[in-house]
Amino acid sequence: APAASPAPGVNAGATGSPLESKTALEGQKRLFDTDSDAVNFEDGTMVYKGKTMSLGGSRFMRARFDRYLNTSVDTKALEQYKAIMTEIKRRLLANELRTKENFEEAFGLLFEAGKYEEDGAACVVIANHVFNSLRVREEFSDGRWAEAELGRRRKYEQDVVANRTAIARLNEIKEREDAARSNTGKGAKGGGALPKSNITAPDEAAFRALDLAETQAEIASTKIRQAVNATQAKLQFQAGIVNLLAQRRWEHASIACGFYRQIFRASAAKLETGQDLLKQFLPATETMDTVDSLEALAREAISDVNKGMDSVSNAYDRGTLVASLERLQETFFLGEHLLPVISFDVTRKLKIRDVYTRGREVQQLLDLKDYDEVEKLSGDLLSISSDFPARQILSGCAAAKRGSNMELFAAQTAFAQKKTEDVKTALTRATTLWPLNPAITKFTENILGMVDDTQKATLLFDELGKNGSKRQMFDRAAELGVALRHDAERADKLKKIMTEMQSLEFLLGQSQAAADQKNYYAAWEYLMEATKFDNSDVKLNKAIGDLAPQVAGYVQLLKQAELYEKDSDYSSALGSYLAAQDINPVSKVCNEGIKRSSQNLLDKLAAKKGRKSAANTPPVPAAVPVAPAPAAPAPAVTPAPESTETTATNP
């Protein structure tokens, strides 16, 4: 159904009658719009602990909640999943992580939890981050061993260079001393001091010096590679935690923080990535700067969800199902992936769904101003939920009815005074306030016999009908209604046209509201829905022309899809509808087109396959003996007269 108008009162039309009460929609706003302190459906946000969280579009949020209310729960599988998650969290506690086995067991349980549908494979994502971090840490340990080995080799090469040079100097000194002693023994004079040595390292020492430089470079490269890998693993892990928070998977985020704390040192707890995503998720809050702060937020959300579900159950037990519905909505949008929300009792959920569904129906009837049905449904809802705001709604209905009757009285007075224009004006206001007012029908029946231009109005109706001028009929509804009192056929046509034009006007208003919110695709779909009532309406075509430039590409894809469907090219039509759905994911037109094209394509393929199978069917054998099979169903065979053989039909 189209979204309700944001105006908090019943629409009084262009007349703006001051007799109309605004309490009807204000009374039901608590239940149907649910713009509480926590959830705002209009802009798709939720305020939690002073933090504004982005949840998505209004239709997307409503669709998720509707799906939740209509989803059953596999209790046995849920209990198994809950036990695994509890065991993972227990093994990650600080007092349990004294042994390596607990950490490894917790890591292995992640893959078991990831098999369950309720997990959404989030535990597998955590396991991948843990595995990657452990692999980097192992590579770091291998790198430390390689670094130590390179260090030993460097020391050896340093010793070789130093020893080679020292040995060379010692050998030269020894040779000079031997030469000096030899000269002294021969009686040479003036042995004196030895000349200064000018020793250079042997060639082998020079090569060892080059090896030493290469070893030093390898050590530096190893250190850099270790630092880069460790940093990359840390950033990937932090980004994974932030993504889990943005998905409101609080329990998984808490578990991921527990693994992160055990793998990385305290110096790595500072949050260095994911800041932009956190700002989108929490736009009204300063970004958190540590992994511990993210874990604190997750734990606080888990605690609040538990308290919220307790509040839902307590409100239900008191019979205040409206309050229970409001608390369930708030708790669902905070922690839809948490076990207390998923495991909520199905019987209670179905009863709350009944209140939610009937409440939406009351809202739609209020928009259509069918106050008799609103009063009936309000009484039914009050019998189900003691806190349903029936008094406010009934008060608003009574005020609208009273206003319609007073406008009708003004029309009767003006008719007595022969003020035709005033009659039409007052009668239009009465019809606008309460279109189904039975007194309006009675009044028109009483004055029809006194109208002088009945024949003229009849001719006008026929002429307008021939020209398809529904807008003019709508504008002159009061005049034509008086003229057609005894013409049942024309009266029915006028009634149908009035109903169609009211729906068209309603859709035009919805389109304008969507366009004001920059939701041009939703506005276009409202206009396309309105064309079903009158595609030649001037006001409607003007709105279409004004909006067309904003949705040109989207409309082109829809037109292509329609042409493909007309040509029975269902695969191309399906592709065009899917492309249009990428532009407007919540499009009702695209969803219906995809279903229709898919079904037609399947039917076409099935028919083609059937023809092909019939063409390839082998000829039927003349007579095939068939063994009796008492336990099996009777085969499709034709027994031959006076014979034990049967003729089998070709399957």
Side-chain angles (χ1 to χ4, degrees), residues 27 52 72 76 78 86 97 107 196 202 208 220 228 236 301 307-308 344 431 444 493 529 531 538 571 621:
T52 301
S72 60
K76 183 178 179 180
L78 196 63
T86 302
L97 284 169
F107 175 70
K196 185 176 181 180
R208 291 295 184 179
V228 170
Q236 289 177 349
K307 294 178 182 177
F344 185 58
T431 305
T444 56
K493 289 182 179 179
E529 185 72 19
T531 58
V538 176
S571 59

Side-chain angles (χ1 to χ4, degrees), residues 150 215-227:
L150 290 172
T215 302
Q216 191 70 23
E218 288 183 19
I219 293 174
S221 175
T222 301
K223 290 183 177 180
I224 293 174
R225 186 168 57 254
Q226 291 172 356

Side-chain angles (χ1 to χ4, degrees), residues 56-363:
S58 172
R59 290 189 178 184
F60 176 75
M61 293 167 59
R62 291 187 188 278
R64 292 185 73 88
F65 188 65
D66 288 342
R67 183 180 65 182
Y68 167 73
L69 292 178
N70 290 279
T71 301
S72 60
V73 177
D74 186 348
T75 307
K76 183 178 179 180
L78 196 63
E79 288 297 326
Q80 295 173 351
Y81 175 68
K82 182 179 180 180
I84 294 175
M85 295 295 285
T86 302
E87 184 65 15
I88 292 174
K89 290 186 289 185
R90 186 188 70 81
R91 291 182 180 274
L92 287 178
L93 294 175
N95 59 341
E96 295 290 341
L97 284 169
R98 297 175 181 174
T99 61
K100 183 179 180 181
E101 288 75 11
N102 276 341
F103 181 87
E104 293 176 349
E105 287 291 334
F107 175 70
L109 289 173
L110 289 175
F111 296 97
E112 293 296 324
K115 298 177 181 178
Y116 291 86
E117 182 180 356
E118 292 80 6
D119 186 78
C123 281
V124 177
V125 174
I126 298 174
N128 290 336
H129 287 301
V130 173
F131 175 77
N132 184 49
S133 300
L134 292 176
R135 184 176 61 182
V136 170
R137 188 168 68 176
E138 183 178 351
E139 291 176 355
F140 184 80
S141 299
D142 294 342
R144 293 289 297 272
W145 180 86
E147 183 181 348
E149 184 64 24
L150 290 172
R152 287 191 293 270
R153 192 171 78 184
R154 177 179 60 183
K155 186 176 184 303
Y156 167 75
E157 291 167 350
Q158 289 174 340
D159 292 342
V160 167
V161 172
N163 290 340
R164 295 288 183 183
T165 303
I167 291 172
R169 287 184 175 180
L170 289 175
N171 289 336
E172 183 181 1
I173 292 172
K174 184 177 180 181
E175 290 176 358
R176 292 173 61 197
E177 289 178 348
D178 291 342
R181 281 194 296 270
S182 176
N183 293 334
T184 302
K186 294 178 181 181
K189 297 181 179 180
L194 295 174
K196 185 176 181 180
S197 176
N198 189 19
I199 300 300
T200 57
D203 291 340
E204 183 180 358
F207 285 117
R208 291 295 184 179
L210 292 176
D211 292 341
L212 176 61
E214 292 178 358
T215 302
Q216 191 70 23
E218 288 183 19
I219 293 174
S221 175
T222 301
K223 290 183 177 180
I224 293 174
R225 186 168 57 254
Q226 291 172 356
V228 170
N229 291 340
T231 301
Q232 185 177 6
K234 178 180 68 175
L235 295 180
Q236 289 177 349
F237 210 137
Q238 290 182 357
I241 296 174
V242 173
N243 281 324
L244 291 172
L245 285 178
Q247 298 170 18
R248 287 168 291 129
R249 292 188 177 274
W250 309 109
E251 192 169 27
H252 293 94
S254 177
I255 290 174
C257 290
F259 277 106
Y260 183 91
R261 190 167 45 249
Q262 296 303 321
I263 296 174
F264 297 98
R265 296 180 178 179
S267 59
K270 183 175 178 58
L271 192 63
E272 299 179 10
T273 188
Q275 302 287 354
D276 294 337
L277 182 57
L278 273 178
K279 288 180 180 178
Q280 294 177 6
F281 180 55
L282 304 172
T285 308
E286 293 184 2
T287 305
M288 302 178 181
D289 58 352
T290 64
V291 174
D292 291 338
S293 61
L294 299 182
E295 183 179 14
L297 174 63
R299 291 186 177 277
E300 187 176 15
I302 294 172
S303 176
D304 284 351
V305 167
N306 293 332
K307 294 178 182 177
M309 294 308 297
D310 289 340
S311 177
V312 171
S313 298
N314 292 335
Y316 185 94
D317 293 336
R318 292 194 303 269
T320 54
L321 269 64
V322 172
S324 181
L325 170 60
E326 291 176 346
R327 302 290 78 76
L328 181 60
Q329 284 179 318
E330 296 168 3
T331 308
F332 170 78
F333 290 122
L334 176 61
E336 62 176 301
H337 302 295
L338 292 178
L339 290 175
V341 178
I342 299 174
S343 61
F344 185 58
D345 184 71
V346 177
T347 303
R348 296 190 171 195
K349 187 162 61 173
L350 292 177
K351 198 167 183 179
I352 291 176
R353 183 194 66 180
D354 189 35
V355 173
Y356 179 72
T357 304
R358 293 193 183 188
R360 294 289 299 277
E361 186 177 356
V362 169
Q363 181 188 23

Side-chain angles (χ1 to χ4, degrees), residues 472-489:
Q472 295 185 42
M473 291 183 182
F474 181 74
D475 294 338
R476 307 179 68 170
E479 175 185 350
L480 294 174
V482 171
L484 302 174
R485 67 188 185 280
H486 297 306
D487 192 338
E489 182 180 356

